Amino acid sequence: MQNYTNTNLLNLKGVSIDEVVSFDDHIDVKLHSLYKEGLCPVCGHKTSRIHDYRLQRIQHTPIGLRKVFLFLRKKRFVCPHCQKRFYESLDFLAPYSRRTKDLHFFIQDQLKQVRSLSSIAQDLGLSSSCLTSYLKLAPRRRPNLPRVLSMDEFKGNAGGDKYQCILVDPIHHQVLDILPSRRKKALMDYFSSFSKEERRRVKYVVMDMSHLFYAVLKEFFPQATFIADKFHFARQVFWALENVRKTRQKTRDAKYRLYFKRSKSILRKKGSRLSPEEKEKLELMLWQDKEIKEAYFLKERFYDVLDASSKEEARQALDKWLWVAKESGLKEFKASIRAYENWKEEILNAFSTGITNGQTEGFNNKIKVIKRVSYGYRNFENFKSRILMVFRA
């Protein structure tokens, strides 16, 4: 009864446990097979004729912080019909493997966690190169293009390219694929692998304000509606405000220069969310500098665009903001004015659909964590496999 309980606890079928020896850092389990016959892999005949035995050391799933090793007295049969010699087959052990199937599944489950390969390898008593071989087992099927396609870049520094690209289905919160480069040729080669029928399924494309991405995606998805991500077009105003602050604080003496620098978060914060103490500091800055006051006013006016509930309301608010920004004459806002004029329709599409790149940005942040805990990846294929294993867990 005890033997039956132990084999079920370890998920070992067809064997009987002879002895269990416990050590500080590992457990040794000695066992033997209960099978009396073997099936010849060549002619298919059953045989009970044993040629010899072999003691095989097999690593099993750890128990707590202790590794588990199985010492199996394994039979080698000989077929009387074709004289083929072969080892007995056990359900828990893959052919030619020194690790149980449970351990294989456990390793793949560990690779889905945001940990470094060296950390996982140390816990399991394996080498990092051994775990790298498991990355090759990650599914690499080409994704089906979704109705809404989101695309962004991230700094991966893998495979000789500084930046890689991520494709996401933002509606179903799925990472579709990782592309090795953001270069035009790499993007065109990838999207050209999809047929026209597949590409027609994409109705919306969400992206940042990249002219390269737009040119490539517009060529392959001409009928799709393009949407500029809200975060990317909103930060244009905050960048302009920050540039005004940096320019103006240089004209102040050391005391007020430090005051302006330490109060930059107050300028960025929405006026309605400021505390009474923060409002006092803000009024002091705006009273001292006219240009910062105008820049802050433009930033606050832009919330009329961001808070719009419809595309038409956003259009009216954006037109008003562009007119006021041009009248202000602040040179730091010229870049944002030009960006909003060039991307006006894509910006307004964000208000008619409500679709953003937020999910993609969240995935990018997690990819940065994977890269940081692993101290980077030189091999792009390994990096891609690890990312897909984590996000498709």
Side-chain angles (χ1 to χ4, degrees), residues 13-54:
K13 295 180 181 179
V15 295
S16 178
I17 296 177
D18 299 325
E19 185 182 4
V20 177
V21 183
S22 180
F23 298 92
D24 291 338
D25 60 344
H26 69 279
I27 300 172
D28 289 346
V29 181
K30 298 179 181 179
L31 40 83
H32 67 273
S33 169
L34 298 176
Y35 296 117
K36 303 298 182 183
E37 292 181 325
L39 187 67
C40 178
V42 176
C43 64
H45 284 88
K46 286 186 177 180
T47 179
S48 58
R49 191 172 162 187
I50 299 174
H51 177 71
D52 59 12
Y53 293 90
R54 172 195 171 197

Side-chain angles (χ1 to χ4, degrees), residues 108-116 120 370 386 390:
Q108 292 181 48
D109 187 64
Q110 291 294 302
L111 290 174
K112 295 174 183 177
Q113 301 179 19
V114 184
R115 297 175 59 195
S116 67
I120 299 172
I370 295 172
R386 189 70 198 284
V390 170

Side-chain angles (χ1 to χ4, degrees), residues 143-151 167-168 176 179 187-188 190-207 212-227 346:
N144 295 321
L145 292 177
R147 182 171 173 269
V148 181
L149 177 65
S150 175
M151 182 174 175
L167 297 180
V168 173
L176 302 174
L179 308 188
L187 298 178
M188 295 190 72
Y190 178 81
F191 287 113
S192 61
S193 66
F194 295 92
S195 65
K196 288 184 178 180
E197 289 72 21
E198 289 179 294
R199 299 201 299 266
R200 285 196 191 102
R201 287 203 295 263
V202 178
K203 302 300 180 183
Y204 299 95
V205 175
V206 193
M207 51 175 285
L212 171 62
F213 287 175
Y214 183 83
V216 173
L217 294 172
K218 193 67 177 177
E219 180 175 344
F220 288 97
F221 307 101
Q223 297 177 339
T225 299
F226 281 72
I227 302 169
E346 289 74 22

Side-chain angles (χ1 to χ4, degrees), residues 50-175:
I50 299 174
H51 177 71
D52 59 12
Y53 293 90
R54 172 195 171 197
L55 187 63
Q56 184 178 9
R57 182 178 182 266
I58 305 162
Q59 188 171 354
H60 193 40
T61 309
I63 297 177
L65 298 177
R66 291 193 289 180
K67 305 174 187 67
V68 176
F69 297 100
L70 310 178
F71 291 86
L72 173 65
R73 193 166 182 260
K74 201 172 184 180
K75 302 183 187 76
R76 186 162 64 147
F77 294 100
V78 57
C79 179
H81 297 274
C82 64
Q83 301 304 310
K84 171 68 177 177
R85 292 167 177 78
F86 59 94
Y87 284 103
E88 60 184 330
S89 178
L90 297 167
D91 292 338
F92 64 86
L93 187 63
Y96 309 106
S97 177
R98 296 181 181 179
R99 302 183 190 95
T100 62
K101 292 179 181 178
D102 278 5
L103 180 58
H104 287 307
F105 292 131
F106 183 76
I107 291 172
Q108 292 181 48
D109 187 64
Q110 291 294 302
L111 290 174
K112 295 174 183 177
Q113 301 179 19
V114 184
R115 297 175 59 195
S116 67
L117 292 183
S118 58
S119 172
I120 299 172
Q122 185 176 7
D123 289 349
L124 297 177
L126 302 172
S127 65
S128 297
S129 59
C130 172
L131 292 186
T132 302
S133 65
Y134 279 88
L135 294 178
K136 296 179 174 61
L137 302 177
R140 305 301 293 270
R141 65 187 183 276
R142 194 185 68 168
N144 295 321
L145 292 177
R147 182 171 173 269
V148 181
L149 177 65
S150 175
M151 182 174 175
D152 200 6
E153 64 183 23
F154 63 91
K155 190 177 180 181
N157 283 317
D161 271 283
K162 189 174 183 179
Y163 291 94
Q164 281 72 49
C165 292
I166 181 172
L167 297 180
V168 173
D169 179 353
I171 303 302
H172 298 98
H173 311 295
Q174 292 179 348
V175 174

